[in-house]
Amino acid sequence: DAMVIQNPRYQVTQFGKPVTLSCSQTLNHNVMYWYQQKSSQAPKLLFHYYDKDFNNEADTPDNFQSRRPNTSFCFLDIRSPGLGDAAMYLCATSRRRGDEQYFGPGTRLTVT
Amino acid sequence: SQQGEEDPQALSIQEGENATMNCSYKTSINNLQWYRQNSGRGLVHLILIRSNEREKHSGRLRVTLDTSKKSSSLLITASRAADTASYFCATVQNNAGNMLTFGGGTRLMVKP
């Protein structure tokens, strides 16, 4: 089945230790998104790719970076995780901007 | 900033009853979307309604949109325990690069 896959589902990292979260899709969608969601809050968009074109939200900290080496894969790099970065990270895709989005199951990040 | 505000924040009903959730927004939109999120999981797209549409149905779901009042509602009829989840509205604004902006969500509990 076509889908959005995120690995790992749970990630524990130490304060300040770089961590990478991965996302892959079999939908062949042009747009891939990364959201941060903290407990009982709405998802907050960090950035998105339209094909290879990277678009950062204005309030996304520099600590967060992303790579999209090909259509199928997108990575979220957190260079120096702080305790405040503990959250659920959601990857999503859509055919075009503004279309319905397809979400992965999320990666729950814990920072110790 | 949060474009949509949802009401109520939490709703508890008995199985078989109808559940109504409301969403208000501030600026003109291209479309409005509703998503469901089960605890600890990714979001699932439910319905997309365009700014020139007033009502859409999908199974037991009915969505209305009133652009003059900048509001939408999601009705779930004959609710089931499996409908227990958080429900988010998200708007695609005319002047925000076609990105989704999520409301705070309604936590629905359906008691068996």
Side-chain angles (χ1 to χ4, degrees):
Chain A
D1 289 338
M3 58 175 59
V4 181
I5 301 163
Q6 289 188 246
N7 286 305
R9 292 292 315 282
Y10 301 91
Q11 176 73 56
V12 180
T13 191
Q14 293 177 334
F15 183 94
K17 184 175 181 180
V19 65
T20 294
L21 309 181
S22 72
C23 176
S24 64
Q25 56 133 341
T26 60
L27 297 160
N28 203 33
H29 281 170
N30 292 317
V31 195
M32 294 188 78
Y33 310 82
W34 280 105
Y35 290 88
Q36 179 191 65
Q37 186 180 29
K38 296 189 176 181
S39 182
S40 301
Q41 295 183 18
K44 178 181 178 298
L45 181 64
L46 296 173
F47 25 60
H48 76 279
Y49 276 92
Y50 188 96
D51 287 336
K52 296 179 181 179
D53 182 29
F54 176 72
N55 298 270
N56 201 28
E57 292 301 295
D59 56 354
T60 298
D62 292 340
N63 198 26
F64 292 87
Q65 304 284 320
S66 185
R67 298 169 282 134
R68 188 179 186 184
N70 54 53
T71 302
S72 300
F73 284 87
C74 195
F75 300 97
L76 170 62
D77 301 309
I78 308 176
R79 292 193 296 188
S80 182
L83 297 179
D85 296 328
M88 174 76 89
Y89 289 88
L90 296 164
C91 174
T93 73
S94 67
R95 187 171 290 110
R96 298 168 301 186
R97 292 185 184 111
D99 285 355
E100 60 266 33
Q101 295 186 11
Y102 294 77
F103 282 79
T107 294
R108 182 165 298 282
L109 179 68
T110 300
V111 182
T112 60
Chain B
S1 62
Q2 202 158 292
Q3 156 79 324
E5 296 292 335
E6 295 187 57
D7 170 56
Q9 290 187 329
L11 179 62
S12 181
I13 59 174
Q14 293 294 136
E15 209 166 25
E17 294 179 339
N18 295 341
T20 299
M21 289 159 266
N22 302 295
C23 171
S24 60
Y25 56 92
K26 298 173 184 173
T27 62
S28 62
I29 60 171
N30 287 326
N31 67 65
L32 185 145
Q33 302 176 30
W34 284 91
Y35 288 83
R36 183 185 76 232
Q37 185 177 34
N38 290 85
S39 180
R41 306 290 297 181
L43 282 75
V44 175
H45 174 81
L46 297 175
I47 289 184
L48 181 153
I49 186 165
R50 302 189 187 285
S51 59
N52 62 351
E53 297 175 310
R54 293 296 167 257
E55 188 170 313
K56 283 189 87 167
H57 296 254
S58 176
R60 293 183 296 112
L61 306 181
R62 172 178 168 249
V63 167
T64 61
L65 179 64
D66 186 335
T67 53
S68 67
K69 295 181 179 178
K70 293 186 169 59
S71 68
S72 174
S73 67
L74 169 67
L75 168 68
I76 304 174
T77 60
S79 63
R80 304 166 182 169
D83 295 327
T84 295
S86 291
Y87 291 82
F88 292 92
C89 72
T91 54
V92 176
Q93 301 167 57
N94 287 328
N95 61 351
N98 283 334
M99 292 295 102
L100 281 183
T101 305
F102 284 88
T106 294
R107 290 183 300 282
L108 173 67
M109 174 172 286
V110 181
K111 299 175 184 177

